[in-house]
Amino acid sequence: MITLTLETKLVWQAEASSVKSTMLTVTERIDCVFIFRLWLIFGLVFGLTGVNRGESKTDYTQYNYGDVTEDVSDIRFYRGPETNEVYKQKGFSRKAKNVIFLIGDGMGPVQVQIARRKAVGAAGKLYMEKFPVTGFAKTQSANSPVTDSAAGGTALACGIKTNNGMLGMDPDQKPYRNLLEAAQEMGKKTGLVATSTISHATPAAFGSHINDRGKEQEIAAQILEHDIQVLLGGGRSHWLAENRQDKRDLLAEAKEKGYRIVTDLQQMEEAEGPYVLGLFQDSSLTTFSPEPSIGQMTRKAIQLLSRNKKNGTVCPFFGGEKNRGFFLMVEGSQIDWACHANNPENSVKQTLLFDLAVREAAVFALHDKHTLVVVTADHETGGLANLGEEVKWGGGGHSAADVPVYAFGPGSELFTGVMDNTEVARKIARAMGIREFPKVRE
Amino acid sequence: MSEIELRVNATQGTGVRAGQTVRKNQILGQKTDGSGQLYFCPIDGRVLKIDFDGENHEFIITILPD
């Protein structure tokens, strides 16, 4: 089984590279051939297979991305699951070495329902709905029954309640360690992916501690100081000296730190790690081509974070560094924006784009067997009601509705039932083996 | 008089809709400073349109004064 795991991981990583990208080095190719031969021998002898019974083989394959058009009603980019079978967890480890945490901003249960209905029909499922464990999370913040993304993100990142507008600290402005920081303390690699600015509230909850989500220049500087291996999203303007009050050139500083700066899809696909900073727009992403989609960004982030680069090999037996795993947070930022605008078509589109990021995480987890994938939302937006033939909006703001939680992989059994949003972070910490969480930041 | 643009925090939404008449001191939503305090309309007029600014997470309310 060990041989199978290594082989499938390598195959996945090889598939994840673009046509133009030469992902595998010569050394890695030698490793691949060697391990593939071993796998063949073991496979023939023991009849091993990577696909569990009842699952579709396409669950394990690479998604072929097409163009995403500007038309919000055009969802041709999305191809749903072939079967409604839940993902199986056979042969998974008990402890989560890797965590992929996906947050659909503003994605309540009805946002998922209307996306499902439009994309795969009422009887179908989205990829996130194939997860074997489901629950609900309550979302109120410390000072309001209706949270914003800063307080919601803080609950999901740090496991504590705070006031709306505040990031990574309690209402008394005491900073708390977040999941990403705790993962770094364990020697794990980390990454943030978002379709908003990378300094927007939700990613900022994992990369900063500040009392006002509006201070994006300060947040960008804090994110840079966090030594996060992979940062993919928008918001380049907050990193440029000409736009910053302190006149710091954060992009130059990032280069000095060893980041490869990328600004388009091709550059992103060709980028080698370990440090990659992708800022694809001055402000938020457009979420249509030629920008990288959230699914493509997620695939690349997983590829970079799951790979040991030392000595150009992925295998510790051939001189690679010990792989301690990774923590990756991915935000589908603009579901919220579509719902603030009471635009159901764009809500569907943004949810489906997000679901392809979920698919990337699931495909990796199926191969890897050491990865916990958790999908949830920070809050619901718009008070969306599904009346069957039509939908109705309750307003233009956030609502106090509970949000769905989907989990898959080691520790996923913790996420069943109704839980507070702070418990989502605490359960992830438990699954990863993080001690003392939540914890005041030293 | 020319139209004016007013901004409110998007989290709690806005209590007005496009086409609606608004009166001075009517609640439009919450202030954008994160204080959670209410923001009152400074003038009488009619709401021409409401746009959402995702970047700043704010509603932009365009009002034509009476």
Side-chain angles (χ1 to χ4, degrees):
Chain A
M1 285 304 284
I2 293 169
T3 309
L4 172 66
T5 303
L6 285 167
E7 189 277 337
T8 52
K9 188 173 175 181
L10 286 163
V11 169
W12 181 87
Q13 287 177 326
E15 286 176 345
S17 65
S18 70
V19 176
K20 292 178 181 176
S21 167
T22 309
M23 195 192 84
L24 297 175
T25 64
V26 173
T27 315
E28 287 169 338
R29 286 178 194 280
I30 293 167
D31 294 352
C32 283
V33 171
F34 179 76
I35 292 168
F36 182 68
R37 283 177 181 161
L38 273 179
W39 175 80
L40 271 180
I41 294 165
F42 275 80
L44 288 170
V45 172
F46 297 108
L48 299 173
T49 171
V51 180
N52 292 313
R53 283 180 188 171
E55 285 185 322
S56 164
K57 284 184 180 177
T58 56
D59 283 344
Y60 289 77
T61 57
Q62 180 183 340
Y63 195 83
N64 187 18
Y65 288 94
D67 280 350
V68 181
T69 68
E70 195 172 353
D71 178 1
V72 293
S73 66
D74 181 3
I75 58 166
R76 287 175 298 173
F77 63 87
Y78 184 84
R79 293 180 302 285
E82 285 191 357
T83 76
N84 282 348
E85 290 286 324
V86 296
Y87 293 128
K88 303 290 194 302
Q89 303 189 142
K90 189 181 173 187
F92 275 47
S93 62
R94 297 186 66 180
K95 188 175 170 184
K97 179 180 171 186
N98 310 310
V99 171
I100 306 173
F101 192 11
L102 299 109
I103 301 171
D105 198 315
M107 188 186 74
V110 180
Q111 279 80 359
V112 177
Q113 285 173 17
I114 65 170
R116 176 205 309 145
R117 187 168 168 171
K118 178 86 182 280
V120 293
K125 282 185 180 180
L126 303 185
Y127 290 103
M128 67 182 88
E129 295 179 301
K130 285 166 65 71
F131 282 29
V133 179
T134 54
F136 272 94
K138 298 180 280 186
T139 62
Q140 76 284 355
S141 67
N143 67 338
S144 173
V146 177
T147 189
D148 77 338
S149 293
T154 298
L156 296 172
C158 303
I160 60 158
K161 293 289 188 191
T162 195
N163 293 341
N164 288 355
M166 298 176 76
L167 287 163
M169 54 178 52
D170 70 9
D172 297 325
Q173 303 202 20
K174 192 185 293 176
Y176 275 73
R177 181 184 64 166
N178 63 48
L179 288 169
L180 181 146
E181 292 162 343
Q184 287 179 328
E185 287 175 12
M186 298 172 82
K188 296 182 189 297
K189 295 179 180 177
T190 55
L192 296 176
V193 172
T195 56
S196 59
T197 60
I198 201 69
S199 46
H200 215 255
T202 303
F206 292 83
S208 70
H209 303 271
I210 199 161
N211 62 1
D212 179 2
R213 61 180 282 179
K215 297 176 180 173
E216 285 203 55
Q217 292 182 8
E218 171 60 22
I219 291 167
Q222 286 197 29
I223 287 174
L224 178 60
E225 286 156 16
H226 262 77
D227 202 34
I228 300 165
Q229 275 82 6
V230 181
L231 295 165
L232 302 174
R236 190 167 47 226
S237 64
H238 298 302
W239 296 65
L240 300 174
E242 67 218 51
N243 299 326
R244 294 180 56 82
Q245 287 183 337
D246 59 11
K247 298 300 172 192
R248 281 174 65 184
D249 184 345
L250 295 190
L251 288 184
E253 291 181 29
K255 273 184 190 168
E256 279 177 27
K257 280 176 171 276
Y259 277 97
R260 168 82 195 280
I261 315 281
V262 298
T263 57
D264 62 34
L265 174 60
Q266 185 177 338
Q267 288 178 5
M268 183 189 82
E269 294 289 15
E270 291 173 355
E272 299 287 332
Y275 286 83
V276 176
L277 170 60
L279 297 172
F280 305 104
Q281 295 289 344
D282 284 341
S283 55
S284 297
L285 301 190
T286 64
T287 71
F288 51 81
S289 301
E291 263 176 12
S293 70
I294 185 172
Q296 289 169 310
M297 291 193 291
T298 301
R299 178 190 290 178
K300 185 65 185 184
I302 294 170
Q303 178 202 324
L304 289 166
L305 294 172
S306 63
R307 207 170 158 209
N308 285 328
K309 195 67 185 74
K310 192 176 177 184
N311 299 334
T313 176
V314 295
C315 179
F317 300 117
F318 292 86
E321 63 192 6
K322 184 176 181 187
N323 185 344
R324 297 182 190 278
F326 67 85
F327 176 87
L328 171 65
M329 192 291 298
V330 178
E331 188 202 25
S333 318
Q334 297 192 32
I335 302 167
D336 176 63
W337 301 5
C339 295
H340 274 299
N342 287 178
N343 185 331
E345 287 184 326
N346 199 24
S347 171
V348 166
K349 184 170 190 172
Q350 295 298 330
T351 302
L352 296 177
L353 285 165
F354 176 67
D355 197 44
L356 293 182
V358 174
R359 186 190 189 282
E360 292 293 342
V363 170
F364 178 79
L366 281 166
H367 284 117
D368 176 71
K369 299 188 189 299
H370 304 285
T371 301
L372 169 65
V373 185
V374 178
V375 181
T376 190
D378 50 357
H379 54 78
E380 193 274 345
T381 301
L384 185 59
N386 184 354
L387 305 181
E389 295 304 312
E390 60 176 332
V391 297
K392 279 200 172 175
W393 299 94
H398 300 176
S399 78
D402 294 350
V403 293
V405 181
Y406 308 95
F408 171 46
S412 59
E413 69 280 358
L414 298 169
F415 294 85
T416 192
V418 178
M419 64 203 89
D420 192 73
N421 56 1
T422 54
E423 287 180 73
V424 176
R426 295 175 193 203
K427 288 170 192 286
I428 291 174
R430 188 172 155 196
M432 292 171 74
I434 295 169
R435 292 175 185 173
E436 282 192 79
F437 193 90
K439 184 185 175 190
V440 175
R441 190 168 186 245
E442 292 159 2
Chain B
M1 290 176 71
S2 58
E3 56 198 50
I4 61 168
E5 285 186 355
L6 304 170
R7 286 178 172 262
V8 297
N9 188 316
T11 298
Q12 307 288 349
T14 172
V16 297
R17 293 181 182 279
Q20 181 182 335
T21 299
V22 288
R23 294 289 163 229
K24 187 175 180 180
N25 293 328
Q26 182 174 339
I27 296 169
L28 294 181
Q30 285 190 352
K31 290 182 179 178
T32 57
D33 59 5
S35 65
Q37 293 178 338
L38 296 176
Y39 181 71
F40 299 96
C41 188
I43 51 163
D44 293 336
R46 187 166 58 88
V47 179
L48 292 180
K49 60 175 181 172
I50 300 173
D51 296 311
F52 176 66
D53 171 9
E55 196 79 18
N56 294 301
H57 203 255
E58 294 170 358
F59 282 116
I60 307 166
I61 304 168
T62 306
I63 295 178
L64 182 67
D66 287 343

